[in-house]
Amino acid sequence: MSPLIQVRGVHRVYGMGEAEVRALDGVDLDLEKGGFTTLMGPSGSGKSTMLNIIGCLDEPTEGSYMLEGVEMVGLGRKERALVRREKLGFVFQGFNLLARSTALENVELPLIYQGFSAAERKKRATEALDQVGLASRAGHLPSEMSGGQQQRVAIARAIVTQPEILLADEPTGNLDTKTSHEVMQLLQRLNRDDGITIIMVSHEPEMMVYTDFIVRFRDGRVESTEIVDHPEESSC
Amino acid sequence: MLMNAFRIAVTEIFRNLTRSMLTALGILIGVAAVIAMVGLGQGATAAIEGDLEAMGNNLIFVTPGVSQRGPSPRAQAPPLTVRDAEAIRQQVSHVVAVTPVANAAATLVYGDEEVDTTVNGGGLDWFAVADWEVVEGRKPTQGEMISGAAVCVLGDTVREALFGGEAALGAKIRVNKMSCEVIGLTEVKGTNTMGMEQDDFVFVPIATAHRRLLGNTDVSSILVSADHTSNIDSVTQETESLLRQRRNIASNTSDNFSVSDTREMAEMIRGITNILTAFLGAVAGVSLLVGGIGIMNIMLVSVTERTREIGIRMAIGALERDVLTQFLVEAGLLSAMGGGLGVAMGLLGSWGGAKLMDVPFVFNMPVTLGALAFSAVVGVVFGWYPARKAARMEPIDALRHT
């Protein structure tokens, strides 16, 4: 059986001629269902570009990307939007909540585009907020919440559609250490308890302990792949 | 989704209410102008038609000469006579009243007061044809009419100028060199829409006018009243052939008199007001167009401001269509809001204008609904380009936008 994500010979080139930037320069990558993977590397190494391509937000200049055995390269705008809608959830570094909508409304948003009734939306969004421990803050605006809370709302918004894959771009990049650990614990729980495949971009080594696999990028290529030991668990 | 687009649109419009109002102002003014212009135009037309009706019942005018323009035809044409009027009364069917009219300018004097006015010399039917009511005193008797007695009936303007608050009935006034007794006063009609002072006249029997004021027996026009509007045409035709016969006009020569009725005048005036209304409406339409461009401008700004939001929506599953709908609904709603307020302002304006100009207030349903619908269409048409711009964004670029 083919892996959940299969990337072959992917190049991504921005600009033309002199100003040409090779963000990805021939990447092969297999990611299995149910894993929690960190894409690591210095800035400019291509890790975020890879995440965007996996998230169908960006397209490779060259190469193949199969999601669940289906080729994603060459799909139209609408098909890619449908893949995002049905299979993917996104968490961003800057939270990207709609500032003028309450926590609940933000979480409901993806369900609106999926065509759920108002009652069903409210039920599911409340459940998702409950999952991230913020049911009590449903009526608050993002500006009335701490960074950690905002990111947890964003995570609730990403999982409310029960996606196959959760894509997180530097989810702890804007958070302090304590909240970062809380958010990472939440992601880990979603991965372990609910079986959501998570792919995260990060350059903070201390966050890696929550994940299972590390893919290191350098100069647009995969430098190494490793499995993370979880000593504290094996010792238990 | 559409419900939701409406909710988002309403939220966005109210979030920046000042800007929304300023944007909608262009449409508001356009719609208000269209409605006010058309409303006032129609009010003026209705008022003028009312005036023409007030000039008399199913009125037909007979005047010597072909055209009123240029002196030659009128000079050559023989005048009408009192006997022509009698002949029309006796020989033309569907005629209820006929009066010859002889006009003269005159100076009226009573005591120290003096006023210049028009003398209307006419038959007894003059009151019926020209639709005048004698509210005080009486009309001349048949005997006074025939003998050309020195009696007169005053219009209210003349009465006011000569007598002010004093009693006028029975008083002796001078009309040019003739001394005559005031026997009646007419109702007050006031100024008509065309600015004509209707009460500024003195009526005397036509025999009196001929003998004592004019010194000839010319009739400047004959007024004929048909029994029903539908018979105006037949009365006109019969009058024409009767007069051709009486004036010995050969069949190959054209008339040296003209027969016309108020409908022709109404038609002409309606034509003029319609052109004016259309012209003003078109100017107002242009302002609607300008309003539409204003909406496009603000929507473009709004799309740019909300690029990041658009990126977020696309990342979490909005299709191109969803984004397009959202912005189109917003533009349409903004414009329709301007249109709605514009309708209110326009109706208010045309109502106030009608009061001010003393014309009837006309509510035109098709124009009102049309202007409202057109404003929404303007919003959607001019909102389409910004909405498409939003919908065509690459989610990745939109998300990176700061």
Side-chain angles (χ1 to χ4, degrees):
Chain A
M1 196 184 139
S2 62
L4 179 65
I5 287 168
Q6 191 178 54
V7 174
R8 289 290 177 272
V10 161
H11 293 255
R12 181 66 174 101
V13 182
Y14 294 110
M16 302 275 273
E18 292 285 301
E20 188 178 278
V21 177
R22 298 190 153 264
L24 290 178
D25 197 11
V27 172
D28 297 337
L29 190 63
D30 285 348
L31 296 174
E32 297 296 337
K33 192 174 168 62
F36 191 167
T37 308
T38 312
L39 309 183
M40 289 208 69
S43 76
S45 60
K47 57 189 191 305
S48 284
T49 306
M50 190 67 247
L51 192 78
N52 289 335
I53 286 174
I54 291 171
C56 290
L57 289 170
D58 199 359
E59 277 205 298
T61 318
E62 198 187 319
S64 154
Y65 159 38
M66 311 264 273
L67 176 64
E68 291 184 313
V70 181
E71 181 58 72
M72 294 290 121
V73 177
L75 286 186
R77 282 170 58 88
K78 187 176 179 188
E79 284 76 19
R80 283 194 284 143
L82 285 171
V83 170
R84 287 197 298 270
R85 174 195 278 191
E86 307 299 334
K87 297 190 190 303
L88 307 176
F90 290 87
V91 176
F92 306 93
Q93 178 176 3
F95 320 137
N96 277 346
L97 298 175
L98 297 186
R100 297 178 300 278
S101 302
T102 63
L104 188 70
E105 285 167 352
N106 266 292
V107 178
E108 276 187 43
L109 204 56
L111 299 174
I112 288 171
Y113 293 120
Q114 292 198 354
F116 283 99
S117 72
E120 186 66 19
R121 287 203 304 260
K122 188 156 188 223
K123 180 169 159 277
R124 292 195 185 204
T126 310
E127 280 168 12
L129 276 176
D130 198 31
Q131 256 185 302
V132 300
L134 281 178
S136 62
R137 321 234 49 179
H140 289 247
L141 293 175
S143 57
E144 298 163 347
M145 288 184 277
S146 71
Q149 287 173 329
Q150 289 186 51
Q151 193 59 300
R152 275 147 70 193
V153 172
I155 291 169
R157 182 179 67 186
I159 61 169
V160 73
T161 58
Q162 297 168 332
E164 293 278 335
I165 308 168
L166 181 68
L167 299 162
D169 190 357
E170 307 254 16
T172 59
N174 283 9
L175 302 176
D176 60 49
T177 315
K178 183 169 168 286
T179 3
S180 292
H181 283 287
E182 284 169 15
V183 165
M184 288 311 297
Q185 280 159 9
L186 172 61
L187 289 176
Q188 191 177 43
R189 208 180 67 224
L190 291 171
N191 172 246
R192 299 219 171 140
D193 300 353
D194 301 323
I196 302 175
T197 308
I198 302 181
I199 303 166
M200 177 179 89
V201 160
S202 179
H203 58 257
E204 294 169 272
E206 64 268 37
M207 298 306 151
M208 280 178 289
V209 297
Y210 296 99
T211 66
D212 305 324
F213 307 100
I214 294 167
V215 181
R216 290 185 193 277
F217 280 78
R218 183 172 289 276
D219 299 332
R221 292 167 195 268
V222 175
E223 192 182 47
S224 66
T225 321
E226 53 196 85
I227 298 173
V228 180
D229 295 327
H230 292 294
E232 79 278 24
E233 281 172 31
S234 44
S235 68
C236 285
Chain B
M1 180 57 217
L2 204 61
M3 255 328 286
N4 204 65
F6 267 106
R7 236 189 51 213
I8 296 170
V10 169
T11 315
E12 282 301 325
I13 285 168
F14 278 91
R15 185 173 62 86
N16 209 331
L17 196 58
T18 315
R19 190 168 87 181
S20 300
M21 289 308 292
L22 287 174
T23 308
L25 199 60
I27 298 289
L28 190 157
I29 291 171
V31 169
V34 167
I35 287 174
M37 288 307 154
V38 173
L40 283 179
Q42 291 187 328
T45 309
I48 290 165
E49 278 167 8
D51 288 345
L52 290 174
E53 218 159 274
M55 283 175 70
N57 300 316
N58 303 322
L59 197 57
I60 295 157
F61 309 90
V62 185
T63 48
V66 180
S67 156
Q68 314 254 329
R69 265 175 287 164
S72 46
R74 180 164 270 245
Q76 285 166 6
L80 295 163
T81 66
V82 176
R83 280 193 300 279
D84 287 334
E86 263 330 291
I88 292 169
R89 184 201 303 283
Q90 279 158 21
Q91 293 175 41
V92 176
S93 42
H94 301 297
V95 167
V96 289
V98 181
T99 180
V101 177
N103 296 114
T107 304
L108 273 53
V109 180
Y110 175 74
D112 295 336
E113 304 297 334
E114 195 178 303
V115 65
D116 290 321
T117 187
T118 307
V119 176
N120 285 337
L124 260 188
D125 272 357
W126 182 84
F127 293 94
V129 177
D131 198 19
W132 281 101
E133 201 81 49
V134 173
V135 288
E136 261 186 81
R138 60 175 178 85
K139 296 174 195 171
T141 61
Q142 197 69 44
E144 286 168 333
M145 293 302 296
I146 294 165
S147 65
V151 292
C152 59
V153 176
L154 298 186
D156 192 63
T157 307
V158 176
R159 181 200 62 76
E160 178 68 34
L162 291 182
F163 297 96
E166 278 183 58
L169 282 183
K172 293 270 186 197
I173 61 169
R174 268 195 314 117
V175 178
N176 285 353
K177 288 171 184 159
M178 171 185 84
S179 171
C180 87
E181 182 191 350
V182 178
I183 58 165
L185 301 171
T186 54
E187 62 186 308
V188 181
K189 279 191 182 176
T191 312
N192 72 8
T193 321
M194 290 171 282
M196 266 161 57
E197 177 58 75
Q198 299 175 99
D199 300 317
D200 187 9
F201 71 92
V202 54
F203 174 87
V204 299
I206 191 160
T208 313
H210 279 154
R211 212 168 301 155
R212 307 192 190 212
L213 293 169
L214 293 166
N216 61 34
T217 54
D218 291 355
V219 167
S220 50
S221 63
I222 296 173
L223 305 181
V224 182
S225 199
D227 60 357
H228 193 267
T229 317
S230 58
N231 290 326
I232 289 178
D233 284 330
S234 78
V235 170
T236 303
Q237 276 163 23
E238 284 185 45
T239 304
E240 252 167 18
S241 55
L242 174 67
L243 288 178
R244 282 181 74 87
Q245 199 185 317
R246 287 180 63 83
R247 292 160 77 89
N248 296 318
I249 299 168
S251 57
N252 58 355
T253 331
S254 56
D255 293 352
N256 59 5
F257 60 91
S258 71
V259 182
S260 59
D261 60 75
T262 49
R263 289 176 311 165
E264 284 170 33
M265 289 172 69
E267 207 52 55
M268 190 187 74
I269 289 164
R270 203 177 300 133
I272 293 171
T273 41
N274 279 352
I275 289 169
L276 268 176
T277 304
F279 179 71
L280 290 172
V283 170
V286 168
S287 79
L288 257 183
L289 216 64
V290 174
I293 293 169
I295 285 193
M296 175 146 79
N297 188 21
I298 283 302
M299 288 309 294
L300 279 172
V301 171
S302 179
V303 165
T304 308
E305 274 181 359
R306 285 150 70 190
T307 299
R308 202 177 170 77
E309 176 199 320
I310 294 164
I312 296 170
R313 288 180 185 278
M314 285 179 155
I316 64 171
L319 301 183
E320 229 176 277
R321 197 186 56 207
D322 298 324
V323 176
L324 191 78
T325 310
Q326 182 188 329
F327 282 94
L328 273 186
V329 166
E330 192 175 322
L333 206 62
L334 196 60
S335 183
M337 195 177 81
L341 289 173
V343 165
M345 298 287 285
L347 289 179
L348 204 70
S350 83
W351 179 78
K355 273 262 141 71
L356 216 65
M357 286 165 55
D358 202 23
V359 299
F361 168 64
V362 179
F363 175 68
N364 189 321
M365 195 59 161
V367 167
T368 304
L369 289 182
L372 200 59
F374 186 64
S375 69
V377 168
V378 161
V380 172
V381 166
F382 284 93
W384 191 80
Y385 172 66
R388 202 189 60 139
K389 195 179 165 211
R392 288 283 172 87
M393 282 182 183
E394 279 300 329
I396 187 74
D397 297 332
L399 275 171
R400 281 197 193 121
H401 191 269
T402 43

